[in-house]
Amino acid sequence: MKPQATLRVEGAVETNKEAGSKEPRSQRSRKRMRSRFRGYTKNRPQSCKERSSSWQEIESRPLHVVLGNEACDLDSMVSALALAFYLAKTTEAEEVFVPVLNIKRSELSLRGDSVFFLQKIRLPESLLIFRDEIDLHALHRAGQLTLILVDHHVLPRSDAALEETVAEVIDHRPIEQKCCPPCHVSVELVGSCTTLVTERILQGAPEILDRQMAALLHGTIILDCVNMDLKIGKATLKDKSCVEKLEALFPDLPERSDIFDSLRKAKFDVSGLTTEQMLRKDQKTISRQGIKMVISAIYMDLEAFLQRSGLTADLRAFCQAHSCDVLVAMTIFFNTHNEPVRQLAIFCPHAALRMTICGVLERSSSPSLNLTPAPSIHPDLQAYLQGNTQVCRKKLLPLLQEALSAYSDSKATPSGQHETAGVSGEQADKELDGAGASLFPRLSQDEEEPLLPPTPMNSLVDECPLDQGLPKLSAEAIFEKCSQISLSQSTTSSLSKK
């Protein structure tokens, strides 16, 4: 919930001086910054005295941070940017709404579709604020933080202390009742979270939309919903309706097929990426009873992925670096008929755990994956062709959670009473305590970690950017970035009208 205290921002962010400059910003620069900040929060006439007083109060105001998920795909990024834009334009009081991308700035380059789209709509990356540039925990301790979550509704373990600051949630995935913050929650199972943000803008204040923001919303929904193809199973009638309304308001928006093809090409371009970067590009994490699983989307044919040089060593190194016990790769690409193809690979050195996961996936009937085993030369990896291409990663996650729970339950049964695909519980225990112990030490500990709430479905969990050192932005720099975003939108809108 929203904290009541309003203290200073000092300590939340580090002073940010211009590169190579030993002096602070000039007085003239500060005046320009103040003017821009006023334009971002609310556009209303003020006297010189009121403006001066208003700037002096900035540092004592709470920050309303709109935070996307830790996968930070295009949907999450645009949802955060658009909702912060809407709230800043429509809130009565002079509140400060800051969109924060929930990754390190250095991680953005791995998200080709996001980089491409930002360039296309002329929104400079330098104006964006990333998680490693703002210390949300310091703001919380100062009593100055209110969080609005978009495209997820459960905070990771590293951010558990921030839950009391969550004032609102907007998400498009099934809600986890036990872990959702006690606040206003808007959840609807649509194809894109951006659809829910778009609906809110269209219902609340459609007049604030300019072509730049409309293009962001329009393209993101189209990409997320696979060009609005209802046969694919991602797009809903609400997704379709929002796209049509945006097109009616801005008839010069790009053709759907053109923007979809451009964004998909950028998203699926993994040329030059290492295996580790491909796995990290779009990963999500779940855990049960101290067993951690990473699920990565891989944008290429599984056969080509499995033939990468040194793959087994790369997979083991990734699991060690991310302290995960299981790695699931869900590949997706489009064939010559422009139809989606999905495949699965489960990498886990522990045979019993791997077989439990595979058994749950193979036997699933709701949904049915229609899995066909595929050849693999890697002994710790099971590969499948997925016949039901409508089962995306979001729909696969509950099955994987069920598999981890089933394995945890089997470990709690009396010794020797559990068997999985011909492997006895005793044999499984030996494997678990022996060969795999050095790779995944948490599974061989005598005392398991206590049961923790499920992590968000779009979560990097243990990759907390705040562990990487002090943040880089000053409070003034954050406000200036916000105002520049607004100015950039206004300038681009004016250019497009000309």
Side-chain angles (χ1 to χ4, degrees):
M1 300 302 292
K2 180 178 178 180
Q4 299 300 315
T6 55
L7 305 176
R8 294 179 63 82
V9 185
E10 294 173 354
V13 284
E14 184 180 288
T15 302
N16 182 37
K17 297 181 180 179
E18 296 181 5
S21 174
K22 295 182 180 180
E23 297 295 330
R25 298 177 186 271
S26 65
Q27 188 67 23
R28 181 178 179 183
S29 176
R30 289 182 183 276
K31 290 180 179 178
R32 182 169 62 251
M33 190 191 310
R34 295 169 190 174
S35 175
R36 289 177 177 177
F37 175 73
R38 286 187 294 104
Y40 179 79
T41 53
K42 191 166 180 67
N43 231 341
R44 68 184 186 192
Q46 288 181 308
S47 67
C48 292
K49 184 176 180 180
E50 288 174 330
R51 286 198 297 270
S52 177
S53 174
S54 190
W55 177 253
Q56 291 173 359
E57 293 172 357
I58 287 174
E59 289 189 350
S60 65
R61 294 180 193 159
L63 283 180
H64 302 278
V65 171
V66 184
L67 186 68
N69 63 52
E70 292 178 286
C72 198
D73 57 6
L74 186 64
D75 187 30
S76 177
M77 180 185 77
V78 172
S79 293
L81 291 173
L83 185 60
F85 171 80
Y86 167 76
L87 293 173
K89 292 290 186 181
T90 58
T91 302
E92 291 297 326
E94 286 198 350
E95 303 286 352
V96 182
F97 294 90
V98 182
V100 174
L101 306 192
N102 207 356
I103 55 172
K104 304 172 187 176
R105 180 176 289 275
S106 60
E107 295 285 311
L108 182 63
S109 60
L110 299 181
R111 291 151 177 81
D113 49 347
S114 297
V115 173
F116 168 81
F117 210 14
L118 289 172
Q119 293 173 346
K120 184 175 181 61
I121 65 164
R122 301 178 184 177
L123 181 59
E125 296 174 19
S126 59
L127 299 185
L128 304 178
I129 301 172
F130 293 79
R131 182 64 192 271
D132 57 338
E133 297 171 335
I134 180 170
D135 191 337
L136 300 183
H137 289 269
L139 288 168
H140 173 40
R141 289 192 296 270
Q144 288 191 255
L145 178 66
T146 296
L147 275 181
I148 301 171
L149 304 182
V150 292
D151 205 19
H152 65 142
H153 61 267
V154 181
L155 289 171
R157 182 173 50 196
S158 56
D159 286 338
L162 302 180
E163 182 174 316
E164 63 183 352
T165 72
V166 178
E168 184 177 3
V169 168
I170 299 178
D171 198 5
H172 68 127
R173 68 199 72 247
I175 193 168
E176 298 183 37
Q177 295 286 355
K178 295 181 180 179
C179 304
C180 192
C183 63
H184 178 68
V185 178
S186 299
V187 171
E188 189 168 348
L189 304 184
V190 293
S192 175
C193 187
T194 302
T195 293
L196 302 179
V197 177
T198 301
E199 180 184 46
R200 184 162 175 178
I201 295 174
L202 292 174
Q203 291 179 350
E207 67 279 2
I208 70 170
L209 280 176
D210 55 23
R211 189 187 182 282
Q212 183 186 40
M213 183 56 67
L216 262 180
L217 300 169
H218 180 257
T220 301
I221 298 173
I222 288 174
L223 177 67
D224 235 23
C225 296
V226 197
N227 203 17
M228 315 313 296
D229 189 342
L230 297 179
K231 296 178 182 178
I232 301 276
K234 287 206 68 176
T236 65
L237 293 178
K238 179 164 288 189
D239 297 301
K240 185 173 182 291
S241 174
C242 284
V243 167
E244 291 173 346
K245 289 177 181 178
L246 289 171
E247 290 170 344
L249 289 173
F250 298 90
D252 62 335
L253 286 172
E255 292 291 329
R256 295 183 188 180
S257 57
D258 292 341
I259 192 63
F260 173 70
D261 290 341
S262 297
L263 287 172
R264 186 180 66 177
K265 181 179 179 182
K267 181 175 183 176
F268 281 67
D269 183 8
V270 294
S271 57
L273 296 185
T274 65
T275 299
E276 189 269 344
Q277 289 174 326
M278 292 175 64
L279 293 169
R280 191 158 43 89
K281 175 182 169 73
D282 188 357
Q283 71 174 56
K284 303 180 182 181
T285 303
I286 59 176
S287 62
R288 287 290 185 274
Q289 297 281 12
I291 303 175
K292 180 177 174 182
M293 176 189 292
V294 169
I295 306 96
S296 295
I298 303 295
Y299 299 101
M300 65 186 301
D301 180 18
L302 180 61
E303 183 179 358
F305 179 73
L306 294 180
Q307 292 177 353
R308 292 177 69 88
S309 176
L311 180 68
T312 299
D314 288 341
L315 297 180
R316 288 179 178 273
F318 181 88
C319 290
Q320 285 181 315
H322 293 264
S323 302
C324 66
D325 308 301
V326 186
L327 173 61
V328 176
M330 189 175 199
T331 68
I332 179 172
F333 66 97
F334 287 78
N335 60 22
T336 55
H337 302 291
N338 210 31
E339 299 168 335
V341 177
R342 294 188 184 274
Q343 301 152 320
L344 281 174
I346 293 89
F347 175 77
C348 178
H350 309 296
L353 177 55
R354 184 176 66 254
M355 290 178 180
T356 298
I357 296 169
C358 292
V360 169
L361 297 180
E362 291 173 3
R363 293 190 298 269
S364 175
S365 58
S366 181
S368 173
L369 302 178
N370 295 334
L371 296 179
T372 302
S376 170
I377 61 174
H378 308 282
D380 297 328
L381 187 148
Q382 176 63 56
Y384 294 100
L385 304 178
Q386 183 179 317
N388 185 358
T389 59
Q390 291 193 5
V391 180
C392 60
R393 186 171 50 174
K394 182 172 67 175
K395 298 177 181 178
L396 183 69
L397 284 170
L399 293 178
L400 295 174
Q401 290 172 326
E402 176 187 337
L404 292 186
S405 296
Y407 180 78
S408 296
D409 292 343
S410 72
K411 295 294 293 179
T413 59
S415 177
Q417 291 189 10
H418 170 68
E419 293 188 0
T420 303
V423 179
S424 69
E426 184 177 355
Q427 290 172 322
D429 288 339
K430 289 181 179 179
E431 287 183 293
L432 207 56
D433 296 332
S438 60
L439 179 57
F440 305 128
R442 294 186 304 107
L443 278 178
S444 62
Q445 293 175 344
D446 293 331
E447 294 183 6
E448 289 189 337
E449 296 178 5
L451 179 62
L452 295 169
T455 57
M457 293 188 179
N458 287 339
S459 173
L460 303 184
V461 184
D462 292 333
E463 292 296 302
C464 179
L466 303 182
D467 293 335
Q468 306 302 316
L470 292 174
K472 315 281 190 303
L473 292 179
S474 68
E476 291 184 355
I478 291 176
F479 298 133
E480 184 175 21
K481 280 176 177 283
C482 296
S483 62
Q484 286 175 335
I485 291 173
S486 181
L487 285 176
S488 174
Q489 292 164 342
S490 301
T491 302
T492 306
S493 179
S494 300
L495 289 174
S496 63
K497 290 180 180 178
K498 292 179 180 181

